[in-house]
Amino acid sequence: MPAASEAYAAELENRLQHFFSEQAAGYDVPPAVVYRIEGFIEAGILLELCTEAAVRDRLVELAEQFSGQRLADIYRQDFQLILHMRMREAPVYPSTKADSGS
């Protein structure tokens, strides 16, 4: 099963790189994409194509590379293998209309 394990590892790396790079560039990652990656990780662990420790280590490395120490620390301390969304806040502008009281 080494070929399956290598193919899985390459695909997981591709998906994680894309996830972190999209967020770092300021793009929103759709929840469905996040859920698919998390399911892919869980399947890999259940099928023994990877270990939870190896995935966690890679998440920490990528978080540090793309977002810095703060996000890496969140992955280090998290007991669950989940992807953390780091979206920028949307700008909020005050209304130009006066409050009509209704």
Side-chain angles (χ1 to χ4, degrees):
M1 206 187 257
S5 180
E6 290 172 14
Y8 173 85
E11 181 60 26
L12 179 58
E13 181 66 20
N14 181 47
R15 292 180 187 204
L16 291 176
Q17 285 277 344
H18 188 263
F19 170 78
F20 282 100
S21 66
E22 289 288 299
Q23 285 196 93
Y27 296 112
D28 291 340
V29 178
V33 171
V34 174
Y35 300 147
R36 281 195 298 269
I37 296 170
E38 290 174 344
F40 193 72
I41 291 169
E42 183 175 0
I45 292 169
L46 291 173
L47 294 170
E48 298 180 357
L49 298 173
C50 62
T51 65
E52 188 172 327
V55 172
R56 183 178 316 284
D57 289 347
R58 190 61 184 139
L59 291 174
V60 169
E61 290 169 1
L62 289 168
E64 192 167 46
Q65 176 186 343
F66 285 98
S67 299
Q69 190 64 42
R70 185 171 174 222
L71 183 59
D73 287 342
I74 291 171
Y75 279 103
R76 263 188 210 95
Q77 297 167 7
D78 199 349
F79 67 93
Q80 298 178 13
L81 277 180
I82 59 172
L83 299 176
H84 296 277
M85 301 296 287
R86 304 292 296 175
M87 291 185 267
R88 295 180 183 159
E89 291 184 21
V92 178
Y93 301 101
S95 173
T96 57
K97 293 183 180 181
D99 185 7
S100 63
S102 47

